[in-house]
Amino acid sequence: MNDLVRQHTALSETDLEWLHLLVSEWQLLSDLSFADLVLWVPTLDGTRYVSVAQMRPNTGPTSYQDDMVGHLVPRGRRPLLDAALDEGRIVREGDPEWREEVPVRVESIPVRREGRVLGVIARNTNLLTVRTPSRLELTYLQSASDLAQMIAAGSFPFPGQQVDMDASPRAGDGLLRLDADGVVTYASPNALSAYHRLGLAADLVGQHLGTTTSELAPTRGPVDEAIVKLASGWAPRETEVEGNGGVIQLRAIPLKPKGVRIGSLVLCRDVTELRRRERELITKDATIREIHHRVKNNLQTVAALLRLQARRMDSEGGREALNEAVRRVGSIAIVHETLSQNLDERVEFDEIADRVIAMVAEISPGKVECRRTGRFGILDAEVATPLSMVLTEILQNALEHAFTQGEGGRVEVSATRTGSGRADGRLLITVLDDGCGLPEGFDPQRAGNLGLQIVRTLVEGELGGTFDMLRAEPRGTKVVLDIPASPQK
């Protein structure tokens, strides 16, 4: 819609925002009308109309099999559009049109904002299945007529009340029609069922909805008063009420077709099972985070015990081996700490990489600078945990063997993500140092160093990637990892 309006019309950005607000609401008008809606806006030169949005009803057959968005028609071809735009009134005159042997009643509703008509909604009703309407259908049509008059007057949609079409109740979920005093004059079967879920034993018709709702969902203080006002339809609001083990979602829409409030619509939906599942998921997420937190604490305890044991070792080799184990355990603890703060089993690995680099840099024999370039991005825990250990081993190996005591240098970790967001995306990681380089005849695939054995096992066996160590130019060593960015099934 943005592109069509900016390309073909003279509407301002604030006018465009109003149209967006209308489109976020007009599924309700379409459902209540049992009709298709097409929004036509006059072009910049005023000689044509461009259709910028379309909506089909959930409550009846469509009148348009094709997508109408983007169509251009000249003025004069559709007289009802011209009359609604020029006169600023709802136009219903004329006989039904025939489209592919289907009779269609066409009406035009001007879209007004601050006294100006921005465009016209063409309301097209398929008459092929016309029959004697039920009371529910009559209530729908009357409510649709009231909303259409409010659109023509510029009082609907309500400014500042952006609606989430997926989360908000719809007409088919449950509809209540109230008079000006907030008394129910009509309740659809679904609406009545929703209130029965709250514990209502009687009929809703004739009841004051605000008072009844507050009695079924008792609260104290200002909240209780707010529920009474909302359920009475005094202002355009949404809320949820809970009682008797049930939860219903309410949305109030005041009706002011001629500028005077004549009543209101209240849409309601039973969301009891939805909220129950959400609570179960929240409990599950909290449990998972608590597990990660406890694993992190246990790993830190193990690391502390190893560190304590290392201090008591007389053998320098034994002490260093325990310190390496401390760093390996610490790298896993970092991942679990990050997971304990997330709502899912995915982590932003850049933060983990930076913490691993800082942890390993503490063993630097001299003034060696360690830094990261590029982005790892978000990784699943199944990739992040072994990758943190791999990164720890490679950095630890570089700092221990590439530089002599007191020697300065640089170690750089770079990451490149390809195919981000796809299942076949890959992560290319390079660890480059400017140290002494590899000894002659060194084969990284056969080296017996424990750290390299861990790297090979994790990269090739668990991550399903490749690992290589090469001489860097003009000096130093380059370690290259190529791994899938997603866990291997």
Side-chain angles (χ1 to χ4, degrees):
M1 184 166 74
N2 288 350
D3 293 340
L4 289 171
V5 168
R6 289 165 181 159
Q7 179 182 355
H8 294 287
T9 78
L11 298 182
S12 66
E13 289 298 315
T14 52
D15 292 335
L16 180 57
E17 286 300 316
W18 183 261
L19 295 185
H20 274 293
L21 191 60
L22 172 65
V23 169
S24 74
E25 292 273 21
W26 71 343
Q27 178 71 67
L28 175 62
L29 177 63
S30 178
D31 290 345
L32 293 176
S33 304
F34 308 98
D36 291 74
L37 305 179
V38 179
L39 178 57
W40 296 93
V41 180
T43 57
L44 185 62
D45 58 9
T47 61
R48 295 181 296 175
Y49 298 96
V50 57
S51 57
V52 298
Q54 179 179 1
M55 180 58 66
R56 292 182 172 90
N58 294 318
T59 52
T62 183
S63 302
Y64 287 110
Q65 298 300 325
D66 300 327
D67 187 1
M68 295 296 297
V69 175
H71 283 216
L72 289 161
V73 297
R75 275 182 66 96
R77 180 173 296 179
R78 302 193 176 184
L80 297 188
L81 293 182
D82 299 338
L85 182 70
D86 297 338
E87 300 173 22
R89 64 180 180 88
I90 298 175
V91 182
R92 297 189 177 93
E93 296 88 353
D95 297 326
E97 298 180 1
W98 287 83
R99 300 176 187 165
E100 299 179 355
E101 299 184 354
V102 175
V104 176
R105 182 175 64 243
V106 181
E107 304 168 88
S108 295
I109 305 167
V111 178
R112 192 183 304 273
R113 174 181 174 267
E114 296 181 351
R116 295 169 45 244
V117 177
L118 307 182
V120 179
I121 294 175
R123 182 163 56 177
N124 303 270
T125 307
N126 186 324
L127 300 178
L128 194 61
T129 57
V130 170
R131 55 184 173 78
T132 303
S134 64
R135 190 178 176 195
L136 180 145
E137 292 168 332
L138 290 173
T139 303
Y140 272 31
L141 292 172
Q142 181 57 55
S143 301
S145 176
D146 294 336
L147 287 178
Q149 292 183 56
M150 291 170 66
I151 292 172
S155 57
F156 186 83
F158 304 108
Q161 294 292 322
Q162 189 77 28
V163 174
D164 184 348
M165 294 176 63
D166 294 327
S168 187
R170 299 190 177 189
D173 296 324
L175 180 141
L176 299 161
R177 176 86 187 210
L178 313 185
D179 64 15
D181 296 322
V183 175
V184 179
T185 59
Y186 176 79
S188 73
N190 284 345
L192 192 57
S193 296
Y195 266 82
H196 284 167
R197 191 70 177 264
L198 288 182
L200 180 70
D203 192 0
L204 271 173
V205 175
Q207 304 267 6
H208 187 278
L209 188 65
T211 304
T212 301
T213 304
S214 64
E215 291 173 352
L216 294 171
T219 56
R220 294 185 177 180
V223 177
D224 185 47
E225 296 178 5
I227 289 178
V228 172
K229 290 183 178 179
L230 184 144
S232 300
W234 286 97
R237 295 285 187 274
E238 286 192 36
T239 192
E240 287 185 5
V241 294
E242 184 171 356
N244 195 41
V247 184
I248 64 171
Q249 186 180 17
L250 297 177
R251 182 189 176 203
I253 303 172
L255 296 177
K256 303 177 181 179
K258 297 181 180 179
V260 178
R261 182 175 174 276
I262 62 169
S264 58
L265 288 180
V266 176
L267 305 180
C268 62
R269 179 171 60 172
D270 184 351
V271 293
T272 304
E273 294 304 314
L274 178 63
R275 295 297 175 257
R276 182 184 61 81
R277 290 195 296 269
E278 287 178 351
R279 287 171 185 144
E280 289 177 353
L281 288 173
I282 291 171
T283 302
K284 179 181 176 182
D285 289 338
T287 301
I288 292 173
R289 289 199 300 271
E290 178 62 22
I291 289 172
H292 284 302
H293 181 71
R294 294 190 181 189
V295 170
K296 182 263 295 184
N297 288 345
N298 291 339
L299 290 172
Q300 288 180 337
T301 300
V302 171
L305 292 173
L306 292 173
R307 194 178 295 111
L308 182 63
Q309 185 66 41
R311 291 179 187 150
R312 296 174 178 269
M313 292 286 290
D314 295 329
S315 168
E316 183 64 30
R319 185 183 305 114
E320 183 54 37
L322 288 175
N323 285 331
E324 287 182 3
V326 168
R327 286 187 286 274
R328 288 167 185 148
V329 172
S331 65
I332 302 175
I334 290 172
V335 176
H336 282 282
E337 181 179 3
T338 305
L339 287 169
S340 70
Q341 299 168 0
N342 291 345
L343 293 177
D344 55 20
E345 292 290 291
R346 310 191 76 201
V347 295
E348 177 62 66
F349 196 80
D350 295 306
E351 178 186 350
I352 292 175
D354 291 340
R355 293 180 63 179
V356 167
I357 291 170
M359 177 183 67
V360 178
E362 294 177 359
I363 68 168
S364 172
K367 297 180 180 179
V368 179
E369 177 191 359
C370 298
R371 68 190 185 102
R372 172 182 62 85
T373 60
R375 292 193 73 249
F376 289 85
I378 296 175
L379 299 176
D380 291 337
E382 297 172 61
V383 175
T385 301
L387 182 57
S388 67
M389 284 196 67
V390 168
L391 194 57
T392 300
E393 296 299 332
I394 294 173
L395 289 171
Q396 193 166 272
N397 188 71
L399 292 173
E400 286 183 352
H401 302 292
F403 306 99
T404 59
Q405 187 69 37
E407 181 183 10
R410 177 175 58 85
V411 177
E412 181 177 295
V413 179
S414 64
T416 304
R417 190 83 173 258
T418 62
S420 180
R422 292 171 16 205
D424 59 348
R426 300 192 71 82
L427 190 57
L428 182 64
I429 304 165
T430 303
V431 181
L432 179 66
D433 69 67
D434 58 359
C436 61
L438 297 173
E440 289 295 332
F442 180 82
D443 183 359
Q445 302 303 327
R446 299 193 178 190
N449 179 292
L450 176 60
L452 292 181
Q453 288 182 12
I454 292 174
V455 170
R456 284 198 301 271
T457 301
L458 292 176
V459 172
E460 297 172 2
E462 190 161 344
L463 294 173
T466 60
F467 155 71
D468 200 5
M469 294 182 73
L470 311 166
R471 287 181 177 272
E473 296 295 338
R475 58 172 290 179
T477 304
K478 180 166 72 170
V479 180
V480 180
L481 304 173
D482 185 356
I483 64 173
S486 299
Q488 299 303 288
K489 303 300 183 185

